[in-house]
Amino acid sequence: MPEIAVPLATYTGWNLFNDRSGPVNVMATTTGSFVPFPRTRAERERTNDPRPSIEERYKNKDAYLELITKSANDLAAKGYLIKEDVPRIVQQAGARWDWVLGQTH
């Protein structure tokens, strides 16, 4: 999937409880998590996040969407996606970029 190949976050296949609802080292569900990368290098350094920030990964939104488009087109060429779905995938990736970059971490 393009959003995994060109990520804005860490994806997991599980969720842990938070400290208000249960033991933090126990799985709560297996529906998965989306943990956004820090937006900037400064944010990453301030929070001691070891993952490269979005700013360090992608020059800008257009560069990110170009990589998403390439990933989606490659998957469509290999028969893993329907070519007609590529514009929707790119649109959703743009909306995800706007949401993640608009968040306050």
Side-chain angles (χ1 to χ4, degrees):
M1 296 182 59
E3 61 266 24
I4 302 297
V6 188
L8 292 176
T10 297
Y11 293 85
T12 68
W14 63 89
N15 282 310
L16 298 175
F17 283 106
N18 67 40
D19 59 356
R20 295 180 312 272
S21 61
V24 296
N25 62 342
V26 175
M27 277 189 2
T29 67
T30 56
T31 57
S33 291
F34 175 88
V35 184
F37 298 135
R39 292 169 294 176
T40 64
R41 181 179 182 162
E43 182 180 327
R44 176 179 62 77
E45 290 172 349
R46 185 180 74 252
T47 60
N48 294 317
D49 193 322
R51 304 169 302 161
S53 68
I54 293 170
E55 169 185 82
E56 294 168 299
R57 291 168 185 267
Y58 313 111
K59 181 179 176 182
N60 55 35
K61 182 179 179 179
D62 288 338
Y64 167 72
L65 291 177
E66 185 176 314
L67 291 170
I68 287 284
T69 302
K70 181 183 181 323
S71 177
N73 283 329
D74 288 348
L75 289 169
K78 293 174 183 173
Y80 295 110
L81 289 176
I82 299 169
K83 183 74 172 167
E84 292 78 19
D85 287 341
V86 171
R88 182 182 48 81
I89 290 167
V90 173
Q91 182 275 325
Q92 289 175 344
R96 196 167 25 260
W97 173 281
D98 292 342
W99 182 80
V100 169
L101 275 284
Q103 296 297 300
T104 303
H105 294 110

